[in-house]
Structures are given as structure tokens and as C-alpha cells.
Amino acid sequence: MTPADCEGFFATLDELVADDYILLDYYLECSGDPREAVAHFCAEQSTAQWRRVGSDEDLRPRFGARAVELEVLEQDRPGFSYGVEPEVTEGVSACRVRIAHPHRNFGPRIPNLLSAVCGEGTFFSPGAPVVKLLDIHFPAAYLAQFPGPKFGVQGLREQLQAYDRPIFFGVIKPNIGLPPEAFSELGYQGWLGGLDIAKDDEMLADTDWCPLERRAELLGAARRRAEAETGTPKIYLANVTDEVENLIELHDRAVARGANALLVNAMPVGLSAVRMLREHTQVPLVAHFPFIAPFSRMERFGIHSRVFAKLQRLAGFDVVIMPGFGSRMFTSDDEVRANAAACLEPMGELLPSLPVPGGSDNALTLGGVHEKLGTVDFGFVPGRGVFGHPHGPRGGAASIRQAWEAIARGVPLLDYAAEHVELRAAIDAFGTR
């Protein structure tokens, strides 16, 4: 590529019609001239060869991805951050680049969008083997082509009649191996203790030992009993993750028998399948995060998890469960906050999705989650913190509600626990952090 050719893949934002482009923030490491490497990077994910042999046409102004910002963070590195072939031991630069990519190239189709911005052209661009997509920004014109969440945060709150506080989930444990009868009793006890939502684990499928149909029937009945006894609405969140061809049927069977929200493992099933399910369903859709960490965990390669949060909202999820705070989830506090913000911040006319950061939570961690997020618009999703509580799931759920009461009143947990035995038991069982 000649220097003149390279310049065709650069522009300023003022030169472009903003509604015609999505903006992509990448980190990349390249060998040789960073400007030439970025030009190749833009070419490979868009026009590649931009004219026919023997023609003077130029497809780049209309169809080419264009670099609108380029910052060289480090020059003459001793090599790439990760081993690649062929090995380069000098002349490596680390860069941040913002690319404007015309969405006319792929339209309002998530598979085609991902093929462009995370596909062969991006991760196999000459001279730039280390790449991470850090963020994605959609213009209003593009977002207008997606309906997004059907219920969103406010719709979920209205369904539960739960305002001005977090939404309390519980992952029924043991998560694998119980028959529907035992499983449903645990959910029932959790609801009586104060859970808003009792949920299937993301690994619990439609199995022969715990069929979805029977599970939904029993948990639907248990939910209605709990609603009658507590006077508050409840949700049974059933996992319908399966082959795409089975999703609609599993949805119908679960909802008909009492599930009033559905869990889908977003990336294993595929976001296009979620869009299909969103058009069919009349209950909230909840995302779980299997298959995201392998893309996102490496600091300088792959796809930042906030991109997945935005894509799940785009696809129509009302709730996005994500790796939460604490060392077990291998996710920094800043990344958790970024993912929660991606669910809640303005995004065209799309409704916000409820962020649910999770991982080894209990009554003692609720205050930290609330403080770090700085909002009550989040879900709190203990597993063992409810179902491994010394007093059982009813006591575990009560300890969560008591912890929130203490937080809302500004009372230290230890002080509040003096008169609340379930919270006291949680402190004794799970530590004093």
C-alpha cells in the first residue's frame, strides 16, 4: 500500500456524516509504520481491494472504514505482548485507534456487524496480530433499527412492584442434580424469605432428571403460593438455553406452566437467536455470560466485555447478568462498572437493561456492590449466600433483605444483626467483610 493509498483510510469526524458510521475503539500492536498498519486494518475490515483492475473508481469514500483518531502509546517495544508467528523482536508499536465504519456495509444485522468488526479482517490484518476491541458506539440512525429490551429496568420493576431498591435474585442451589420437586421447594422457601426472583442456574437445561416442563409447572405453582402468602409479586426465571430450533417451543412450554421470565446464555445461543426470541416473548429475557470470558479476559487481545453488554442490550435482553466484584470473577472493579454503565446509560431510544453483577455474593457483599455502582438500579444474585445459609433459603433470603434495610437506614450491619437472627447467621457463616 502506497503512502497515498494509506491516506484514503484516514479522515476526521467533521468530514463524515455521523449517523452513517459506528465508531470502534481498538487497542492494537503493530510492526513497522503504525499509520500504514492502521490503513491496512481499516482496509481489511471493509473494502480490502477498493477498485477493479483497470478502473479509476474508488470505493473507499462510501464503503471504507476510516481511522479518525490514532494515538501511538509506545514505540520500539521489544516484541508483541503475546507470542505470534512470525516473531518480531523490534519495531513494534502499541496504539489506540478509533475507526469510523460505515454501517451500510452490514446493516442492522448483528452477525454481519460482528463479522466486520471482530472478524477475519480485524484479527488477521497484516502487521497487527495483537488486537482488542475496547468499545463500540452506535449512532441514533443505527440504533433506531433495533427494538431493544421489551421491558427494561422500569418494566421489570413494575412487574415486581419493587421500586427504589435493588432487585433480589437467588440462584437455586444445588444447581445440578435435583429433581423438580426438591428444586421447586427451595425456590418457594427463597421467595418466602424475600427473593424477588428465583432462577435456574445457567447450566441447568431441559434434562431427563429435571425436565423444564415439570420444573416450570412446580415452580410456577410455588411462585403463586409465595405471592399469595407474601402479598408481593415474584418471578420464576427458567433457563431455556438450547439449540436455536428449540427456543420457541421451550419458551412456550415454560411460560404456559408458570415461568414468567426466561434465562438465555447469550453467546452460546447467539444474539440473532435472542432477537428472534425477543419478538416472540411476552416475558422478560435475562442474559447470562458463558463464553464471554474467553474473548474478554486478556488485557490486550480479544473483545472488552462492555462490548458484549451493549450487544446484549441491542439484541433485546431486559436483564444482563455479568461477572461481578471480587477476586473470584477475575474482573476489575472498573470493568464491572463499565459493563453496568453500558446497560444503563443512554443508547438511542433503547430501554436500559438491568445490570446484575454476580459471583459469590451474600448479605455481607450487598453494601459494597451498591456503593461501587452508585445506584439502586442493579440486581443482586447470591447463590450459596441464600441457599447455603445456615437457616436455609428462607433465612438466606431474609438476610439479604435485612442487609438492605440496614444499608437504606445507614445502620452498620453488625448493629442491625443484633436484632435480626438471619443477618447474624449470615455474618457468622460468610465472614465479617
Side-chain angles (χ1 to χ4, degrees):
M1 189 181 292
T2 69
D5 291 336
C6 287
E7 291 309 308
F9 289 104
F10 286 82
T12 66
L13 283 175
D14 291 342
E15 296 174 303
L16 306 176
V17 178
D19 257 356
D20 290 346
Y21 292 84
I22 64 169
L23 297 178
L24 305 157
D25 295 329
Y26 290 100
Y27 169 88
L28 61 86
E29 295 176 11
C30 60
S31 57
D33 177 15
R35 199 167 177 87
E36 181 177 349
V38 168
H40 275 292
F41 191 75
C42 291
E44 290 297 325
Q45 69 172 230
S46 60
T47 54
Q49 181 179 326
W50 60 88
R51 66 165 58 95
R52 287 167 287 185
V53 174
S55 169
D56 61 358
E57 69 188 351
D58 188 345
L59 299 175
R60 290 174 297 177
R62 184 166 169 78
F63 299 100
R66 319 281 282 281
V68 294
E69 294 177 21
L70 170 60
E71 178 186 5
V72 179
L73 305 172
E74 189 179 356
Q75 288 184 302
D76 297 322
R77 288 171 51 93
F80 294 112
S81 292
Y82 310 110
V84 295
E85 296 290 344
E87 185 177 356
V88 175
T89 58
E90 59 183 17
V92 171
S93 298
C95 308
R96 287 193 61 149
V97 59
R98 170 165 285 190
I99 290 174
H101 196 126
H103 53 77
R104 64 171 60 91
N105 289 0
F106 42 78
R109 306 173 185 92
I110 295 177
N112 304 83
L113 162 67
L114 290 175
S115 296
V117 306
C118 303
E120 177 185 348
T122 297
F123 285 95
F124 295 89
S125 182
V130 176
V131 177
K132 186 161 186 174
L133 175 58
L134 301 174
D135 208 347
I136 187 168
H137 310 275
F138 301 105
Y142 190 72
L143 291 172
Q145 300 175 89
F146 292 84
K150 185 171 285 191
F151 296 86
V153 175
Q154 189 62 27
L156 188 69
R157 288 195 177 282
E158 289 172 0
Q159 182 173 338
L160 289 166
Q161 294 296 293
Y163 305 98
D164 301 319
R165 64 167 176 81
I167 302 299
F168 297 117
F169 293 67
V171 188
I172 299 174
K173 302 283 185 177
N175 53 325
I176 297 291
L178 292 180
E181 292 76 14
F183 194 81
S184 63
E185 178 61 23
L186 291 171
Y188 173 65
Q189 293 297 327
W191 280 316
L192 292 183
L195 290 184
D196 298 303
I197 300 174
K199 67 178 287 293
D200 289 351
D201 189 81
E202 78 277 7
M203 293 189 294
L204 180 59
D206 181 25
T207 65
D208 56 358
W209 43 266
C210 193
L212 175 64
E213 194 167 308
R214 179 62 173 160
R215 194 165 76 236
E217 180 180 14
L218 292 178
L219 275 151
R223 172 180 63 81
R224 290 186 286 271
R225 291 200 310 275
E227 289 173 335
E229 292 182 42
T230 64
T232 57
K234 305 292 183 180
I235 286 177
Y236 166 50
L237 176 54
N239 183 9
V240 295
T241 300
D242 207 298
E243 298 291 347
V244 174
E245 64 188 20
N246 298 329
L247 288 179
I248 298 295
E249 180 184 354
L250 290 176
H251 164 285
D252 292 348
R253 286 160 51 193
V255 171
R257 286 160 180 78
N260 50 348
L262 297 179
L263 180 77
V264 180
N265 295 338
M267 299 313 295
V269 165
L271 294 173
S272 186
V274 174
R275 288 187 75 185
M276 174 193 71
L277 195 59
R278 187 264 181 216
E279 292 305 306
H280 178 75
T281 191
Q282 294 300 318
V283 301
L285 295 180
V286 179
H288 209 284
F289 55 84
F291 207 47
I292 290 178
F295 294 92
S296 64
R297 187 169 291 169
M298 295 178 73
E299 180 184 5
R300 299 181 178 185
F301 187 85
I303 305 167
H304 194 287
S305 54
R306 76 177 139 223
V307 173
F308 291 106
K310 290 183 177 182
L311 292 172
Q312 289 172 100
R313 184 175 171 190
L314 194 70
F317 278 113
D318 302 286
V319 176
V320 178
I321 301 176
M322 59 189 66
F325 300 103
S327 60
R328 184 195 163 210
M329 306 312 291
F330 305 107
T331 306
S332 71
D333 287 2
D334 286 344
E335 186 169 350
V336 178
R337 281 189 286 261
N339 293 340
C343 293
L344 295 172
E345 65 193 10
M347 194 167 160
E349 299 298 318
L350 300 188
L351 294 175
S353 304
L354 184 78
V356 184
S360 297
D361 279 308
N362 56 64
L364 284 72
T365 65
L366 176 57
V369 175
H370 175 241
E371 182 178 355
K372 289 176 181 179
L373 292 178
T375 179
V376 296
D377 283 333
F378 69 93
F380 189 67
V381 59
R384 294 179 187 88
V386 167
F387 295 93
H389 188 278
H391 297 177
R394 186 168 185 171
S399 75
I400 303 297
R401 297 300 289 263
Q402 291 163 6
W404 179 251
E405 291 168 5
I407 292 163
R409 297 176 187 182
V411 178
L413 285 190
L414 285 172
D415 293 348
Y416 205 71
E419 297 182 359
H420 296 83
V421 295
E422 295 88 356
L423 182 56
R424 177 73 259 175
I427 292 172
D428 292 341
F430 303 124
T432 57
R433 57 190 170 127

